[in-house]
Amino acid sequence: MNCCVTGLQWGDEGKGKVVDILAEQCDVVVRFAGGANAGHTVIVNNQKFALHLMPSGAVREDTACVIGNGVVFDPEIFLKELEGLEQKGFNFASRLFISENAHVVLSYHKLEDSLRESALGRNKIGTTNRGIGPCYADKIGRSFAVRMADFRRPEQLKSKLKKITDYKNKVFEAVYGAEPIDPEEVYQSCQTYSQKLGKYICNTTKYLHEAIDAGKKVLFEGAQGALLDLDHGTFPFVTSSNASALGMSTGSGIPAGKVDRFLGVVKSYTTRVGSGPFPTEQDNQTGQLIRDKGNEYGTTTGRPRRCGWFDGVAARYAAAIGGINELAVMHLDTLAGMDELKICPSYMLEGEKTNFFPVDAGDLERAECVYETLPGWNEDLSEVKEYEKLPENAKKYIEAIERVTGVRVSMIGTGPRRDQIIYKK
Ligand code: GDP
Ligand code: IMO
Ligand code: MG
Protein backbone atom coordinates (compact mmCIF):
# COMPACT_ATOMS: atom_id res chain seq x y z
CA MET A 1 0.00 0.00 0.00
CA ASN A 2 1.39 3.38 -0.95
CA CYS A 3 0.59 6.19 1.46
CA CYS A 4 0.60 9.98 1.39
CA VAL A 5 1.03 11.93 4.65
CA THR A 6 0.10 15.60 4.70
CA GLY A 7 -0.70 18.22 7.32
CA LEU A 8 -4.29 19.44 7.49
CA GLN A 9 -3.64 22.64 9.43
CA TRP A 10 -1.01 25.39 9.10
CA GLY A 11 1.99 23.06 9.40
CA ASP A 12 3.88 21.47 12.32
CA GLU A 13 1.15 18.91 12.94
CA GLY A 14 3.73 16.19 13.68
CA LYS A 15 4.20 14.88 10.12
CA GLY A 16 7.87 14.01 10.76
CA LYS A 17 6.99 11.68 13.61
CA VAL A 18 4.15 10.01 11.67
CA VAL A 19 6.34 9.52 8.58
CA ASP A 20 9.16 8.10 10.71
CA ILE A 21 6.73 5.57 12.24
CA LEU A 22 5.18 4.56 8.90
CA ALA A 23 8.58 4.39 7.19
CA GLU A 24 9.26 1.17 9.06
CA GLN A 25 6.74 -0.53 6.73
CA CYS A 26 7.90 1.26 3.55
CA ASP A 27 10.80 1.07 1.14
CA VAL A 28 10.90 4.64 -0.13
CA VAL A 29 10.05 8.04 1.39
CA VAL A 30 9.52 10.99 -0.98
CA ARG A 31 9.33 14.71 -0.22
CA PHE A 32 7.23 16.32 -2.94
CA ALA A 33 6.79 20.01 -2.08
CA GLY A 34 8.24 22.93 -0.15
CA GLY A 35 11.85 23.36 0.77
CA ALA A 36 13.98 24.16 3.79
CA ASN A 37 11.06 26.14 5.24
CA ALA A 38 9.94 22.77 6.65
CA GLY A 39 11.14 21.52 10.00
CA HIS A 40 10.19 17.91 10.69
CA THR A 41 11.12 16.51 14.09
CA VAL A 42 12.00 12.87 14.51
CA ILE A 43 13.16 11.45 17.84
CA VAL A 44 15.06 8.18 17.83
CA ASN A 45 16.53 6.72 21.02
CA ASN A 46 16.32 10.11 22.75
CA GLN A 47 18.23 11.69 19.87
CA LYS A 48 16.38 14.55 18.18
CA PHE A 49 16.62 15.21 14.43
CA ALA A 50 15.14 18.39 12.93
CA LEU A 51 14.93 17.62 9.21
CA HIS A 52 14.39 20.40 6.70
CA LEU A 53 14.87 18.88 3.26
CA MET A 54 15.82 15.31 3.96
CA PRO A 55 12.77 13.00 3.98
CA SER A 56 11.96 11.70 7.47
CA GLY A 57 12.82 8.16 6.31
CA ALA A 58 16.49 9.22 6.55
CA VAL A 59 16.90 7.87 10.06
CA ARG A 60 16.11 4.32 8.95
CA GLU A 61 19.12 2.67 7.29
CA ASP A 62 17.18 0.71 4.67
CA THR A 63 14.81 3.42 3.51
CA ALA A 64 15.41 5.14 0.18
CA CYS A 65 15.06 8.93 0.36
CA VAL A 66 13.74 10.80 -2.67
CA ILE A 67 13.56 14.56 -3.13
CA GLY A 68 10.95 15.05 -5.81
CA ASN A 69 10.68 17.57 -8.62
CA GLY A 70 8.17 19.66 -6.64
CA VAL A 71 10.70 20.57 -3.96
CA VAL A 72 12.71 23.80 -4.06
CA PHE A 73 16.10 22.49 -3.10
CA ASP A 74 18.58 24.53 -1.07
CA PRO A 75 21.95 22.77 -1.51
CA GLU A 76 23.63 24.83 1.23
CA ILE A 77 21.14 23.77 3.90
CA PHE A 78 20.86 20.24 2.51
CA LEU A 79 24.62 19.65 2.64
CA LYS A 80 24.71 20.64 6.31
CA GLU A 81 21.86 18.25 6.95
CA LEU A 82 23.45 15.43 4.97
CA GLU A 83 26.87 15.85 6.60
CA GLY A 84 25.30 16.05 10.07
CA LEU A 85 23.48 12.75 9.49
CA GLU A 86 26.61 11.13 8.03
CA GLN A 87 28.57 12.16 11.14
CA LYS A 88 25.96 10.35 13.19
CA GLY A 89 26.65 7.18 11.21
CA PHE A 90 23.93 7.23 8.55
CA ASN A 91 24.99 6.25 5.07
CA PHE A 92 23.27 7.59 1.94
CA ALA A 93 25.55 6.23 -0.79
CA SER A 94 22.91 4.09 -2.47
CA ARG A 95 19.66 5.44 -1.06
CA LEU A 96 19.49 9.15 -1.85
CA PHE A 97 17.84 10.39 -5.06
CA ILE A 98 17.42 14.07 -5.88
CA SER A 99 15.24 15.08 -8.83
CA GLU A 100 17.04 16.66 -11.76
CA ASN A 101 13.89 18.77 -12.20
CA ALA A 102 13.88 20.21 -8.68
CA HIS A 103 14.50 23.95 -8.70
CA VAL A 104 17.50 25.28 -6.81
CA VAL A 105 17.28 27.87 -4.04
CA LEU A 106 20.35 30.11 -4.26
CA SER A 107 21.66 32.91 -2.05
CA TYR A 108 19.84 35.61 -4.03
CA HIS A 109 16.47 33.94 -3.34
CA LYS A 110 17.05 34.14 0.40
CA LEU A 111 18.20 37.74 0.03
CA GLU A 112 15.08 38.63 -1.96
CA ASP A 113 12.85 36.92 0.60
CA SER A 114 14.23 38.99 3.48
CA LEU A 115 14.42 42.25 1.49
CA ARG A 116 10.77 41.91 0.51
CA GLU A 117 9.59 40.95 3.98
CA SER A 118 11.46 43.90 5.55
CA ALA A 119 9.98 46.27 2.99
CA LEU A 120 6.45 45.00 3.70
CA GLY A 121 6.87 45.86 7.38
CA ARG A 122 3.60 45.30 9.25
CA ASN A 123 2.06 43.66 6.18
CA LYS A 124 4.71 40.97 5.89
CA ILE A 125 3.74 37.33 5.37
CA GLY A 126 6.08 36.21 8.14
CA THR A 127 8.00 33.82 5.91
CA THR A 128 10.81 31.59 7.11
CA ASN A 129 13.26 33.69 5.01
CA ARG A 130 14.40 30.51 3.26
CA GLY A 131 13.92 31.95 -0.24
CA ILE A 132 10.90 29.75 -0.95
CA GLY A 133 8.60 32.34 -2.60
CA PRO A 134 11.33 33.86 -4.83
CA CYS A 135 12.52 30.42 -6.00
CA TYR A 136 9.01 29.22 -6.88
CA ALA A 137 8.40 32.59 -8.60
CA ASP A 138 11.48 31.98 -10.78
CA LYS A 139 10.17 28.49 -11.55
CA ILE A 140 6.83 29.85 -12.72
CA GLY A 141 8.57 32.72 -14.56
CA ARG A 142 10.92 30.21 -16.28
CA SER A 143 13.48 32.68 -17.71
CA PHE A 144 15.63 32.95 -14.55
CA ALA A 145 15.25 29.47 -13.09
CA VAL A 146 18.02 27.05 -12.11
CA ARG A 147 17.30 23.34 -11.80
CA MET A 148 19.43 20.54 -10.38
CA ALA A 149 20.07 19.30 -13.94
CA ASP A 150 21.89 22.60 -14.66
CA PHE A 151 24.70 21.45 -12.35
CA ARG A 152 25.66 18.98 -15.09
CA ARG A 153 26.47 21.78 -17.56
CA PRO A 154 28.87 24.16 -15.76
CA GLU A 155 29.60 26.48 -18.70
CA GLN A 156 25.93 27.01 -19.49
CA LEU A 157 25.18 27.47 -15.78
CA LYS A 158 27.88 30.12 -15.55
CA SER A 159 26.38 32.23 -18.31
CA LYS A 160 22.86 31.65 -16.99
CA LEU A 161 23.89 32.87 -13.54
CA LYS A 162 25.46 35.96 -15.12
CA LYS A 163 22.18 36.75 -16.90
CA ILE A 164 20.15 36.11 -13.73
CA THR A 165 22.34 38.18 -11.41
CA ASP A 166 22.50 41.06 -13.92
CA TYR A 167 18.72 41.22 -13.84
CA LYS A 168 18.34 40.68 -10.08
CA ASN A 169 21.04 43.25 -9.26
CA LYS A 170 19.19 45.92 -11.24
CA VAL A 171 15.90 45.14 -9.49
CA PHE A 172 17.34 44.77 -5.97
CA GLU A 173 19.30 47.99 -6.30
CA ALA A 174 16.39 50.00 -7.71
CA VAL A 175 13.70 48.67 -5.37
CA TYR A 176 15.58 48.01 -2.14
CA GLY A 177 18.90 49.87 -2.54
CA ALA A 178 20.65 46.52 -2.00
CA GLU A 179 24.33 45.73 -2.62
CA PRO A 180 24.98 43.77 -5.85
CA ILE A 181 25.37 39.98 -5.85
CA ASP A 182 28.59 38.63 -7.35
CA PRO A 183 27.77 36.08 -10.09
CA GLU A 184 31.19 34.44 -9.71
CA GLU A 185 30.54 33.79 -6.02
CA VAL A 186 27.18 32.16 -6.80
CA TYR A 187 28.79 30.09 -9.54
CA GLN A 188 31.61 28.92 -7.26
CA SER A 189 29.08 27.82 -4.63
CA CYS A 190 27.24 25.86 -7.33
CA GLN A 191 30.50 24.14 -8.27
CA THR A 192 30.87 22.94 -4.69
CA TYR A 193 27.25 21.75 -4.55
CA SER A 194 27.63 19.99 -7.87
CA GLN A 195 30.79 18.14 -6.76
CA LYS A 196 29.20 16.97 -3.54
CA LEU A 197 25.68 16.22 -4.76
CA GLY A 198 26.11 15.37 -8.45
CA LYS A 199 26.03 11.63 -7.84
CA TYR A 200 22.56 11.83 -6.27
CA ILE A 201 20.89 13.81 -9.09
CA CYS A 202 18.67 11.65 -11.30
CA ASN A 203 15.24 11.16 -12.87
CA THR A 204 13.22 10.50 -9.71
CA THR A 205 9.94 10.09 -11.63
CA LYS A 206 11.46 7.11 -13.44
CA TYR A 207 12.88 5.79 -10.16
CA LEU A 208 9.49 6.01 -8.42
CA HIS A 209 7.50 4.40 -11.26
CA GLU A 210 10.00 1.54 -11.42
CA ALA A 211 9.90 1.13 -7.63
CA ILE A 212 6.08 0.97 -7.62
CA ASP A 213 6.03 -1.45 -10.56
CA ALA A 214 8.48 -3.66 -8.66
CA GLY A 215 6.05 -3.78 -5.73
CA LYS A 216 7.97 -1.46 -3.42
CA LYS A 217 5.99 0.54 -0.89
CA VAL A 218 6.26 4.28 -1.27
CA LEU A 219 5.46 6.86 1.37
CA PHE A 220 4.88 10.45 0.25
CA GLU A 221 5.81 13.08 2.84
CA GLY A 222 4.13 16.46 2.62
CA ALA A 223 5.60 19.63 4.06
CA GLN A 224 3.68 22.54 5.60
CA GLY A 225 -0.10 21.97 5.65
CA ALA A 226 -3.21 22.23 3.50
CA LEU A 227 -4.14 25.65 4.90
CA LEU A 228 -0.77 26.95 3.66
CA ASP A 229 -1.42 25.58 0.13
CA LEU A 230 -0.82 28.24 -2.51
CA ASP A 231 -4.09 27.55 -4.35
CA HIS A 232 -6.32 26.25 -1.57
CA GLY A 233 -4.99 27.86 1.60
CA THR A 234 -5.46 31.21 3.28
CA PHE A 235 -3.88 33.27 0.50
CA PRO A 236 -1.76 35.44 0.64
CA PHE A 237 -0.71 34.07 4.03
CA VAL A 238 0.39 30.77 2.56
CA THR A 239 3.57 29.19 1.29
CA SER A 240 4.36 29.09 -2.45
CA SER A 241 3.67 25.43 -3.20
CA ASN A 242 0.73 23.01 -3.22
CA ALA A 243 1.29 21.89 0.33
CA SER A 244 -1.94 19.86 0.48
CA ALA A 245 -2.17 16.26 -0.77
CA LEU A 246 -3.08 17.76 -4.15
CA GLY A 247 0.61 18.60 -4.61
CA MET A 248 1.67 14.97 -4.36
CA SER A 249 1.19 14.12 -8.02
CA THR A 250 2.71 17.22 -9.60
CA GLY A 251 5.56 17.14 -7.09
CA SER A 252 6.52 13.51 -7.72
CA GLY A 253 5.12 12.41 -11.09
CA ILE A 254 2.99 9.71 -9.44
CA PRO A 255 -0.78 9.91 -10.00
CA ALA A 256 -3.16 9.81 -7.03
CA GLY A 257 -4.63 6.54 -8.33
CA LYS A 258 -1.42 4.74 -7.32
CA VAL A 259 -1.90 5.71 -3.68
CA ASP A 260 -4.41 4.02 -1.38
CA ARG A 261 -3.93 5.73 1.94
CA PHE A 262 -4.22 9.48 2.26
CA LEU A 263 -3.36 10.11 5.88
CA GLY A 264 -4.02 13.61 7.19
CA VAL A 265 -2.14 14.78 10.28
CA VAL A 266 -3.71 17.21 12.75
CA LYS A 267 -2.90 18.30 16.25
CA SER A 268 -5.62 17.96 18.85
CA TYR A 269 -5.61 21.79 18.82
CA THR A 270 -4.44 24.26 16.15
CA THR A 271 -1.22 26.23 15.71
CA ARG A 272 0.06 28.71 13.19
CA VAL A 273 3.43 30.46 12.66
CA GLY A 274 3.61 33.73 10.74
CA SER A 275 0.83 36.16 9.81
CA GLY A 276 -2.72 35.52 8.65
CA PRO A 277 -6.22 34.83 9.95
CA PHE A 278 -6.70 32.14 12.58
CA PRO A 279 -10.33 31.97 13.76
CA THR A 280 -9.87 29.68 16.78
CA GLU A 281 -6.72 31.46 18.03
CA GLN A 282 -6.47 31.89 21.79
CA ASP A 283 -4.21 34.88 22.25
CA ASN A 284 -4.63 34.53 26.01
CA GLN A 285 -3.81 32.26 28.96
CA THR A 286 -5.32 29.21 27.25
CA GLY A 287 -3.06 29.73 24.21
CA GLN A 288 -0.04 30.21 26.47
CA LEU A 289 -0.88 27.03 28.37
CA ILE A 290 -1.00 25.03 25.13
CA ARG A 291 2.25 26.67 23.94
CA ASP A 292 4.05 25.78 27.18
CA LYS A 293 2.71 22.24 27.48
CA GLY A 294 3.09 21.42 23.80
CA ASN A 295 6.47 23.19 23.49
CA GLU A 296 5.06 25.15 20.57
CA TYR A 297 8.11 26.93 19.20
CA GLY A 298 9.11 26.73 15.51
CA THR A 299 11.47 23.91 14.47
CA THR A 300 12.96 26.04 11.68
CA THR A 301 12.84 29.60 13.03
CA GLY A 302 12.31 29.13 16.78
CA ARG A 303 9.36 31.55 16.68
CA PRO A 304 6.59 31.00 19.28
CA ARG A 305 3.66 29.37 17.50
CA ARG A 306 0.22 30.96 17.77
CA CYS A 307 -2.09 28.47 19.51
CA GLY A 308 -5.85 27.89 19.59
CA TRP A 309 -8.68 25.35 19.73
CA PHE A 310 -9.21 22.57 17.21
CA ASP A 311 -10.78 24.12 14.12
CA GLY A 312 -13.15 21.49 12.73
CA VAL A 313 -14.29 23.69 9.83
CA ALA A 314 -10.70 24.06 8.61
CA ALA A 315 -9.77 20.40 9.19
CA ARG A 316 -12.90 19.11 7.41
CA TYR A 317 -12.13 21.34 4.42
CA ALA A 318 -8.48 20.26 4.34
CA ALA A 319 -9.53 16.60 4.48
CA ALA A 320 -12.04 17.12 1.68
CA ILE A 321 -9.62 18.74 -0.76
CA GLY A 322 -6.92 16.18 0.01
CA GLY A 323 -9.10 13.08 -0.39
CA ILE A 324 -8.08 12.19 3.16
CA ASN A 325 -9.32 8.78 4.30
CA GLU A 326 -7.52 8.49 7.66
CA LEU A 327 -6.49 10.88 10.41
CA ALA A 328 -3.55 10.97 12.81
CA VAL A 329 -4.33 13.18 15.82
CA MET A 330 -1.11 14.26 17.50
CA HIS A 331 -0.46 15.92 20.86
CA LEU A 332 -3.49 14.47 22.62
CA ASP A 333 -1.27 14.36 25.74
CA THR A 334 -0.85 18.15 25.60
CA LEU A 335 -4.53 18.76 26.40
CA ALA A 336 -4.46 16.85 29.72
CA GLY A 337 -5.28 18.96 32.75
CA MET A 338 -7.74 21.35 31.14
CA ASP A 339 -11.25 21.42 32.65
CA GLU A 340 -12.99 22.07 29.37
CA LEU A 341 -11.96 21.74 25.74
CA LYS A 342 -13.46 23.41 22.72
CA ILE A 343 -13.90 22.30 19.14
CA CYS A 344 -15.24 24.53 16.39
CA PRO A 345 -17.58 22.66 13.99
CA SER A 346 -18.96 25.81 12.28
CA TYR A 347 -18.52 29.55 11.88
CA MET A 348 -20.98 32.44 11.81
CA LEU A 349 -20.28 34.60 8.80
CA GLU A 350 -22.40 37.68 8.10
CA GLY A 351 -25.25 36.35 10.21
CA GLU A 352 -25.23 32.89 8.63
CA LYS A 353 -23.91 29.64 9.96
CA THR A 354 -21.42 27.93 7.65
CA ASN A 355 -19.65 24.59 7.81
CA PHE A 356 -17.56 25.25 4.71
CA PHE A 357 -14.18 26.90 5.26
CA PRO A 358 -14.02 30.34 3.60
CA VAL A 359 -10.43 30.69 2.39
CA ASP A 360 -10.77 34.41 1.67
CA ALA A 361 -8.58 36.16 4.25
CA GLY A 362 -11.19 38.91 4.84
CA ASP A 363 -14.03 36.40 5.38
CA LEU A 364 -11.88 34.38 7.74
CA GLU A 365 -11.00 37.49 9.75
CA ARG A 366 -14.74 38.16 10.17
CA ALA A 367 -15.74 34.56 10.87
CA GLU A 368 -16.96 33.96 14.42
CA CYS A 369 -16.46 30.51 15.87
CA VAL A 370 -19.42 28.50 17.09
CA TYR A 371 -17.89 26.24 19.72
CA GLU A 372 -18.84 22.88 21.10
CA THR A 373 -17.55 22.37 24.65
CA LEU A 374 -16.29 18.98 25.81
CA PRO A 375 -15.14 17.86 29.24
CA GLY A 376 -11.39 17.52 29.77
CA TRP A 377 -9.32 14.90 31.63
CA ASN A 378 -6.47 15.05 34.13
CA GLU A 379 -4.68 11.79 33.51
CA ASP A 380 -1.24 11.83 31.94
CA LEU A 381 -1.46 10.05 28.57
CA SER A 382 2.24 9.76 27.82
CA GLU A 383 2.50 6.03 28.55
CA VAL A 384 -0.97 4.90 27.39
CA LYS A 385 -0.55 2.37 24.58
CA GLU A 386 -4.12 1.22 23.83
CA TYR A 387 -7.15 3.19 22.76
CA GLU A 388 -9.39 1.40 25.26
CA LYS A 389 -7.13 2.55 28.10
CA LEU A 390 -7.54 6.24 27.34
CA PRO A 391 -9.73 8.22 29.79
CA GLU A 392 -13.39 8.29 28.68
CA ASN A 393 -13.28 12.04 28.00
CA ALA A 394 -10.17 11.67 25.82
CA LYS A 395 -12.00 9.05 23.75
CA LYS A 396 -15.03 11.35 23.51
CA TYR A 397 -12.73 14.09 22.28
CA ILE A 398 -11.28 11.86 19.55
CA GLU A 399 -14.79 10.77 18.54
CA ALA A 400 -15.81 14.44 18.30
CA ILE A 401 -12.90 15.06 15.91
CA GLU A 402 -14.07 12.10 13.79
CA ARG A 403 -17.65 13.41 13.75
CA VAL A 404 -16.68 16.97 12.88
CA THR A 405 -14.17 16.06 10.16
CA GLY A 406 -16.03 13.04 8.83
CA VAL A 407 -12.78 11.05 8.80
CA ARG A 408 -11.76 8.02 10.87
CA VAL A 409 -8.87 8.48 13.32
CA SER A 410 -6.29 5.69 13.05
CA MET A 411 -3.32 7.06 15.01
CA ILE A 412 -3.11 9.14 18.19
CA GLY A 413 0.05 10.84 19.42
CA THR A 414 0.74 10.82 23.16
CA GLY A 415 4.23 12.34 23.20
CA PRO A 416 7.17 13.20 20.91
CA ARG A 417 8.85 9.79 21.02
CA ARG A 418 8.46 7.15 18.31
CA ASP A 419 6.74 4.71 20.68
CA GLN A 420 4.27 7.29 21.98
CA ILE A 421 1.54 6.38 19.53
CA ILE A 422 -1.81 4.62 19.86
CA TYR A 423 -3.36 2.75 16.93
CA LYS A 424 -7.15 2.92 16.75
CA LYS A 425 -9.29 0.52 14.74
P1 GDP B 1 6.03 18.67 11.41
O1 GDP B 1 6.56 19.90 10.78
O2 GDP B 1 4.60 18.42 11.04
O3 GDP B 1 6.90 17.48 11.20
O4 GDP B 1 6.01 18.94 12.99
P2 GDP B 1 7.20 19.59 13.85
O5 GDP B 1 8.25 18.59 14.04
O6 GDP B 1 7.59 20.93 13.32
O7 GDP B 1 6.44 19.90 15.21
C1 GDP B 1 5.82 18.90 15.95
C2 GDP B 1 6.42 18.90 17.38
O8 GDP B 1 5.60 18.12 18.22
C3 GDP B 1 7.79 18.30 17.44
O9 GDP B 1 8.52 18.94 18.46
C4 GDP B 1 7.52 16.84 17.81
O10 GDP B 1 8.61 16.23 18.48
C5 GDP B 1 6.34 17.00 18.72
N1 GDP B 1 5.35 15.91 18.72
C6 GDP B 1 4.94 15.14 17.70
N2 GDP B 1 3.91 14.35 18.09
C7 GDP B 1 3.69 14.63 19.40
C8 GDP B 1 2.72 14.18 20.36
O11 GDP B 1 1.87 13.35 20.09
N3 GDP B 1 2.81 14.73 21.61
C9 GDP B 1 3.75 15.66 21.95
N4 GDP B 1 3.74 16.15 23.19
N5 GDP B 1 4.65 16.11 21.05
C10 GDP B 1 4.61 15.61 19.80
P1 IMO C 1 6.45 22.20 8.29
O1 IMO C 1 6.74 21.33 7.10
C1 IMO C 1 4.70 25.92 9.79
C2 IMO C 1 4.72 29.36 7.06
C3 IMO C 1 5.58 30.54 7.46
C4 IMO C 1 4.77 31.66 6.85
C5 IMO C 1 4.28 31.04 5.53
C6 IMO C 1 5.13 31.37 4.32
O2 IMO C 1 7.49 22.11 9.34
O3 IMO C 1 5.06 21.99 8.76
P2 IMO C 1 7.51 30.54 3.48
O4 IMO C 1 8.87 30.60 4.13
O5 IMO C 1 7.07 29.17 3.13
O6 IMO C 1 7.40 31.49 2.33
O7 IMO C 1 6.49 31.10 4.59
O8 IMO C 1 4.29 29.63 5.74
N1 IMO C 1 5.44 28.06 7.01
C7 IMO C 1 5.32 27.09 7.94
N2 IMO C 1 4.63 27.07 9.09
N3 IMO C 1 5.37 24.82 9.39
C8 IMO C 1 6.04 24.81 8.22
O9 IMO C 1 6.61 23.70 7.69
C9 IMO C 1 6.07 26.00 7.44
N4 IMO C 1 6.64 26.36 6.27
C10 IMO C 1 6.24 27.60 6.01
O10 IMO C 1 5.64 30.66 8.87
O11 IMO C 1 3.65 31.94 7.62
MG1 MG D 1 7.53 21.68 11.35
Side-chain angles (χ1 to χ4, degrees), residues 68 74 82 93 120 156 181 420:
D74 182 331
L82 178 66
L120 283 169
Q156 273 180 37
I181 316 149
Q420 289 175 308

Side-chain angles (χ1 to χ4, degrees), residues 82 168 171 174 188 193 203 216 218 225 237 243 249 252 260 265 267 273 283 291 305 318 352 366 391-392 407 423:
L82 178 66
K168 301 238 176 219
V171 176
Q188 287 308 328
Y193 306 148
N203 182 340
K216 292 201 172 146
V218 180
F237 302 105
S249 295
S252 67
D260 321 88
V265 189
K267 278 180 197 166
V273 203
D283 191 9
R291 190 175 304 114
R305 294 175 181 146
E352 287 199 31
R366 285 187 295 276
E392 278 311 309
V407 187
Y423 296 95

